[in-house]
Amino acid sequence: MADIPAEPFAFPARTHEMALVVIDMQRDFAEPGGFGASLGNDVYRIGRIVPDVKRLIEGFRAASLPVIHTMECHRPDLSDLPPAKRDRGNPALRIGDEGPMGRVLIVGEAGTAILPELAPVDGEIVIEKPGKGAFYATRLGEILKEKGITQLVFAGVTTEVCVQTTMREANDRGYECLLCEEATESYFPEFKAAAIAMIRAQGAIVGWTAHIDDILKGLPDAPNNPA
């Protein structure tokens, strides 16, 4: 198939080996009253990418390509939460504490759930990750190997933390990574811009970035694909 227009140069797409990874589109990060808002962040910035993330998910579904969702969350007994992680952030509301949407970032709590508009459908993989990167302490690597995936398209939040961390982990494991610019966001616009610049610097040292319409046009049988 044709390459996808991207930066710093065209992405050499192989759709039969491609999957979409949607990082942490959870209520606690995107809705008023959640953990992200408790840290003083403008959650509107996260919410506004939901339509583009949804378009991307629907494009991959239409093309019968794998969609993988991640959720940052911890066990109810906090046995997978290092004290160094718990002790940072908002002293008044930490991971595991009772918040407006239940215990913050705990498996099964309302705030930990993926936004309803982007919820996984039957057959889609959900990775519950205790760290920022989706490969740490999860089966993601095994799942991708089983499915013959070598290329990953990324969406989700936040660009400079969980998205970039997972892309760097994937890059070190030999995956070719493509970030959809409209389908990722940060609470801080300058952080998103810096992360995108770092990802595609020095000849795609971590990966490529592309616009959503170009990605969708590059998918077989995807919406907006004139072919």
Side-chain angles (χ1 to χ4, degrees):
M1 62 165 290
D3 292 347
I4 294 173
E7 293 290 343
F9 51 86
F11 182 76
R14 298 185 301 278
T15 53
H16 62 289
E17 299 178 6
M18 183 182 290
L20 173 64
V21 182
V22 183
I23 303 287
D24 300 359
M25 291 300 296
Q26 297 163 246
R27 294 184 63 200
D28 251 332
F29 299 138
E31 292 185 357
F35 187 48
S38 80
L39 298 173
N41 296 311
D42 179 7
V43 295
Y44 167 76
R45 294 190 57 83
I46 305 302
R48 70 183 185 179
I49 69 167
V50 169
D52 281 326
V53 177
K54 185 174 182 180
R55 283 183 64 206
L56 200 58
I57 290 173
E58 290 175 347
F60 271 74
R61 287 173 179 165
S64 298
L65 297 176
V67 178
I68 299 169
H69 307 258
T70 77
M71 299 166 52
E72 183 176 350
C73 55
H74 296 274
R75 299 169 186 158
D77 65 3
L78 306 183
S79 59
D80 59 352
L81 176 61
K85 181 178 180 181
R86 177 172 166 77
D87 291 345
R88 282 172 282 173
N90 180 0
L93 186 63
R94 299 191 186 280
I95 295 173
D97 291 346
E98 193 68 37
M101 301 183 199
R103 293 182 68 198
V104 174
L105 296 186
I106 298 299
V107 173
E109 298 290 339
T112 305
I114 293 171
L115 292 166
E117 306 96 308
L118 308 176
V121 299
D122 288 345
E124 291 180 347
I125 296 161
V126 179
I127 299 292
E128 296 177 351
K129 62 183 185 67
K132 304 304 182 188
F135 288 87
Y136 171 70
T138 75
R139 292 190 61 250
L140 179 57
E142 299 169 41
I143 291 168
L144 296 176
K145 185 175 181 180
E146 290 168 1
K147 292 183 172 294
I149 300 298
T150 65
Q151 297 189 325
L152 300 173
V153 175
F154 284 90
V157 299
T158 60
T159 314
E160 76 278 9
V161 184
C162 293
V163 175
Q164 182 179 202
T165 300
T166 302
M167 290 186 72
R168 289 179 179 275
E169 289 181 327
N171 181 67
D172 281 345
R173 287 165 171 80
Y175 295 95
E176 293 175 309
C177 301
L178 175 64
L179 176 64
C180 180
E181 294 189 29
E182 293 87 355
T184 187
E185 192 52 88
S186 169
Y187 298 119
F188 308 97
E190 66 272 24
F191 290 0
K192 175 180 176 178
I196 287 175
M198 287 188 284
I199 285 165
R200 65 193 190 195
Q202 301 181 67
I205 194 167
V206 174
W208 290 255
T209 70
H211 294 294
I212 187 168
D213 288 339
D214 290 325
I215 294 172
L216 290 174
K217 288 174 184 176
L219 302 182
D221 301 320
N224 303 321
N225 186 345

